[in-house]
Amino acid sequence: MRTHSGPIAEGSKPTLSMKEQRERLPIAQGRDALIREIRENDVTVLVGETGSEIPQYLLEAGIAGDGMIAVTQPRKVAATSLATRVATEQGVALGSLVGYSVRFDEASSSSTRIKYVTDGMLVRELLSDEALSKYSVIIIDEAHERTLRTDLLLANLKTIQKKRNGDPEGSRSSRTGKEKARVERRNPLKVVIMSATLDAEKFSKYYGNAKVFQADYVDSAMRTFFQIHIDQTPGDVLIFLPGQEDIENLEKTIQLFAKRLPAQTPGVAIYPMYAALPPSQQSAIFLPAPHGMRKCILATNIAETSITIPGIKYVIDTGKCKEKRYLSRDSGTGFDTLLTKDITQSSAMQRAGRAGREGPGFCFRLFTEDAYHSMPLSAEPEIRRVTLTSSLLQLKCLGQDLETLEFIDKPDPDSIASALSTLYLLGALDDTKSLTPLGRQMAHFPLEPSYARALLASFSHSCPSDVISLLSVLSTSSKLYVDTTSNREEAAESRRKFRAGSGDHVTLLNVLRAYEEVKEQVKGKERKEWCKAQFLNERCLNEALEIRSQLRGVCERFQLDWRDSVGEQKQGGDEAILQSMLAGLVNQAAFLQADGSYKQIMGPETIKIHPSSSLCDKKVPAIIYDELVYTSHIYARGVSAISRSALQELAVFRRRET
DNA sequence: GAGCACTGC
């Protein structure tokens, strides 16, 4: 196993529109932060970047002033080919704005601002100009290779910076103060060290704890991929990314750049992989890539443990993942967060181990060794991360308690308070925190307590059959709607016919009703076609039907007749179903505010309706929702409109709470 | 204007 990172050695096919293209790519996103970092620091250590983009950024941002930017490379061929590539990207002739200088070969002129040189060449220049005064920025690429000439250069640059930039700690006060310091800084030198991950800290310490800048991980994943693609032997590549959005972005950029590779370079076959991907596309990753192409899989941590993809030779690990975590409120109105975080050490090892199961393998980690050591060893136990409502109800049935039971890791007191509050609101616990008969009955259903409560409430609204069907769909483990960003519009359009005015809950019910009709009328293959045409996951629908018969079975055991249904009566029917749901979703309700956002009825948060909801952009006085997830905003998902009269029923709960 | 992965009943 080897960890390293470096430049894309070969250039792309000359295309004048490339610069334009590049600017429209997501690559440009991390750029501003990077510029700021270099502007503010005399020395910057850059991790996971390569020497082709940075000098162009710096020049465009005016950081080089009137001086030149030198980019050093350990090898001549890299210096010349990078210069060629960058000149092409800038749309200029080689040797004008962008040039190079290596032994026996030079392409530069008085107008040259970015010059690619071998490190040996720059060492030689020291002999004629000790301060390297014509350069205002020197970028040391491939610093981790630690060639003798690079090390010589690094030592000299330290001295040169003291002379040209002034010594921040030492001599400034002993001289004539401010004026002298200003004079000294007239031609300051910026040093940018591009290094592979593991060595970054060493360079930083050498330069008095210089700032280490971690490049954007999607961007560096792309660069690392092309470096492998161009420099390394054939073999499949697996890239770990946190989520669907990053995967889709990276897929686009790789595809764009792959098109511009020289004709002799093999093509790239990209396979995205994440749980929400339609099953047919998921299975594609197990097929061999088309002849002569390199297979590149972009995956979430689904490829870390759940699935094993054979034949992976190279792994690129961004070191990031998404983590779902419950943020408790003792009122029970907390919400889930779904944010990008650093992975754990065990996860990093697991990811590295995905390479080379059938032969030698390589892992390229886009994080430093220090970063690795500051990662937690392993994931925090679930008891610390998730809502405990369901477990608390079960413990209560066993005569036990979250507060008194001795756990390996104690649950968070807020989380316990949140669970207690929710169960009390649902009527599962009384005001002495004791289990009620209702609570015991709820616990018999294999459902979240809120859904169990909704199920039981449906009997008084004469619609248990409908609510049980709905809850079955809500309880499935897989996703019902299968769509990706590209076909999202089309998928939404084809499912429009299921849409209910009241919102997502009855819409789901309509989908299941429609599937049942189709199931009665047509056979397997046609049924499959039907699901595909509506962008529905048939496995999910069948799972829902299984759950439904289980739930009906539980009802029967308790002599509850589940057959009542609102049937086809539209208006009143929806109302009855949502009234039942409301009984379970008591603290999952919000009301409309003047600015169009919604505010939790029992909690403090302002929330938005998730864009995937049929009620998104619709203004209704009040809503109930299945879940609240904080990503870029606090989004409510699975949303239905509730009436004012329903809202009044909530007021009863609120009074009881106080 | 947008979803990490599991599991159990």
Side-chain angles (χ1 to χ4, degrees), chain A residues 216-377:
Chain A
D216 172 54
Y217 57 85
V218 177
D219 192 5
S220 37
M222 183 207 63
R223 291 159 198 286
T224 308
F225 170 74
F226 278 106
Q227 177 200 328
I228 293 169
H229 187 52
I230 290 159
D231 292 348
Q232 308 284 329
T233 55
D236 299 347
V237 181
L238 169 61
I239 307 180
F240 282 103
L241 292 145
Q244 180 179 347
E245 192 185 358
D246 288 329
I247 288 174
E248 286 174 353
N249 280 336
L250 186 58
E251 182 176 3
K252 272 183 228 150
T253 23
I254 291 182
Q255 235 140 25
L256 256 164
F257 276 91
K259 271 189 222 150
R260 293 165 194 283
L261 290 172
Q264 70 271 18
T265 315
V268 182
I270 305 176
Y271 301 84
M273 182 71 205
Y274 46 88
L277 198 70
S280 60
Q281 284 183 56
Q282 284 195 358
S283 50
I285 65 163
F286 294 105
L287 302 170
H291 183 71
M293 292 180 95
R294 193 192 289 272
K295 188 164 155 185
C296 175
I297 296 148
L298 312 181
T300 60
N301 48 10
I302 193 169
E304 193 176 302
T305 47
S306 314
I307 58 159
T308 300
I309 306 154
I312 300 295
K313 187 164 175 187
Y314 306 98
V315 163
I316 301 172
D317 183 5
T318 59
K320 304 283 176 189
C321 67
K322 285 203 185 181
E323 189 191 71
K324 200 168 191 171
R325 176 176 282 270
Y326 180 65
L327 216 65
S328 55
R329 294 266 187 278
D330 59 13
S331 56
T333 55
F335 53 89
D336 285 318
T337 64
L338 184 58
L339 300 171
T340 301
K341 299 197 69 167
D342 288 338
I343 57 171
T344 62
Q345 288 185 16
S346 80
S347 192
M349 290 190 280
Q350 184 72 30
R351 288 177 173 196
R354 301 271 108 179
R357 297 171 79 86
E358 296 96 357
F362 304 88
C363 178
F364 295 70
R365 286 175 169 164
L366 308 180
F367 45 88
T368 64
E369 194 169 17
D370 278 11
Y372 174 80
H373 289 298
S374 61
M375 287 171 176
L377 288 174

